[in-house]
Amino acid sequence: MNIQHQLQHIQQTIHTLCEQVHRPSNSVKLLAVSKTKPVSDILTAYQAGHIAFGENYVQEGVEKIQHFEAQGIKLEWHFIGPLQSNKSRLVATHFDWMQTLDRVKIAQRLNEQRPANKAPLNVLIQINISDEESKSGIAPEAMLELAKQIENLPHLRLRGLMAIPAPTTDITEQEKSFKKMAALFEQLKQTFPHQPIDTLSMGMSEDMPSAIKCGSTMVRIGTAIFGERDYSAK
Ligand SMILES: *Cc1c(COP(=O)(O)O)cnc(C)c1O
């Protein structure tokens, strides 16, 4: 896998998809999902000009963050995995974004644990949009209540919503979930006009075209940049 080449290719794809639906190409940000990948791959992406990386596992993410801090390389780190409350301090201490917030209790912990010398932690509320079986994400009806609680936490900054719809190759099904997310995102912005709500994180390798068509502002791409993941070594 030529990481530099793949990054360019995906940026070009995002650009084309945006043009097709008459959106500015800088309205969709690319998050490079580097879970299970070595720091050497992240360094390659950084040298190709990429700054924003997503990690799913707390310990692995923190090790990578510390590695690059020690080198004096400033990257932007997004936590995108499920978070157990006993690991919240590591996320609050090291990450710049937390995309999978779905409980008041975790929000309160992150707020208390965010170091005072750091900018507020950017958070996205994760919505359980299509997969009722999944334990991650809150029901759409619970969004505004959680957002109200977050609004009162000074060390968190509510930036928007995130979703991982149930995987399907059916475009109509994909768009159904993403349109629901776009409507919720509008509702959130209108209800909290004074919050910097600007991020709708949806779309992965398989469903990026539908996500961009429906208003995604951040796509999360792993395999198509770094190649298949090998979990056997873990
Ligand atoms: C792993 C992961 C991705 C990237 O998935 P790919 O299929 O490798 O592009 C995106 N979002 C989340 C939340 C993930 O866990």
Side-chain angles (χ1 to χ4, degrees):
M1 203 78 170
N2 182 328
I3 291 169
Q4 181 176 356
H5 179 264
Q6 287 305 115
L7 269 172
Q8 261 171 19
H9 177 70
I10 296 197
Q11 293 286 14
Q12 184 56 49
T13 306
I14 292 173
H15 184 85
T16 307
L17 289 167
C18 282
E19 272 188 343
Q20 282 169 3
V21 295
H22 310 290
R23 297 184 55 191
S25 59
N26 63 2
S27 62
V28 180
K29 186 167 164 171
L30 173 61
L31 184 71
V33 177
S34 46
K35 63 180 177 223
T36 79
K37 297 295 174 180
V39 288
S40 55
D41 283 2
I42 298 171
L43 183 64
T44 304
Y46 167 70
Q47 285 166 341
H50 199 79
I51 296 288
F53 296 90
E55 289 285 338
N56 287 59
Y57 310 104
V58 177
Q59 200 57 46
E60 178 190 339
V62 168
E63 279 166 28
K64 291 173 179 172
I65 293 170
Q66 289 177 329
H67 171 88
F68 285 99
E69 266 171 12
Q71 315 265 314
I73 295 175
K74 181 81 193 99
L75 303 175
E76 181 184 294
W77 293 97
H78 295 239
F79 186 75
I80 59 171
L83 181 59
Q84 294 164 337
S85 57
N86 63 346
K87 301 234 174 104
S88 64
R89 183 178 298 278
L90 286 167
V91 170
T93 304
H94 297 284
F95 281 83
D96 303 295
W97 288 67
M98 155 63 178
Q99 295 208 6
T100 50
L101 192 54
D102 61 359
R103 271 176 293 163
V104 181
K105 184 181 154 208
I106 297 269
Q108 288 167 340
R109 288 177 69 98
L110 291 169
N111 180 64
E112 279 161 25
Q113 295 166 342
R114 183 68 171 170
N117 63 343
K118 291 207 167 182
L121 181 67
N122 296 293
V123 299
L124 302 180
I125 294 175
Q126 183 180 0
I127 305 282
N128 185 346
I129 199 64
S130 62
D131 188 359
E132 287 83 24
E133 300 290 294
S134 156
K135 289 196 289 291
S136 305
I138 57 163
E141 305 77 54
M143 173 187 75
L144 290 181
E145 183 53 36
L146 179 56
K148 269 191 207 116
Q149 307 273 354
I150 296 170
E151 199 187 20
N152 294 322
L153 301 174
H155 304 295
L156 302 187
R157 187 186 283 145
L158 180 60
R159 298 292 295 271
L161 302 177
M162 180 268 205
I164 312 171
T168 168
T169 51
D170 181 337
I171 305 286
T172 313
E173 280 298 313
Q174 290 176 0
E175 290 189 3
K176 207 167 118 192
S177 300
F178 290 146
K179 281 178 185 159
K180 278 193 223 161
M181 285 300 299
L184 288 168
F185 186 53
E186 271 315 306
Q187 187 188 18
L188 188 67
K189 282 199 281 193
Q190 281 171 18
T191 311
F192 299 92
H194 303 299
Q195 296 291 312
I197 295 166
D198 57 5
T199 303
L200 180 55
S201 170
M202 59 186 197
M204 303 173 37
S205 303
E206 299 295 310
D207 52 17
M208 186 169 81
S210 305
I212 289 179
K213 182 177 169 194
C214 297
S216 168
T217 74
M218 185 183 288
V219 291
R220 308 178 307 262
I221 309 290
T223 312
I225 298 172
F226 297 110
E228 293 293 331
R229 284 180 290 274
D230 177 8
Y231 288 100
S232 64
K234 290 195 73 76

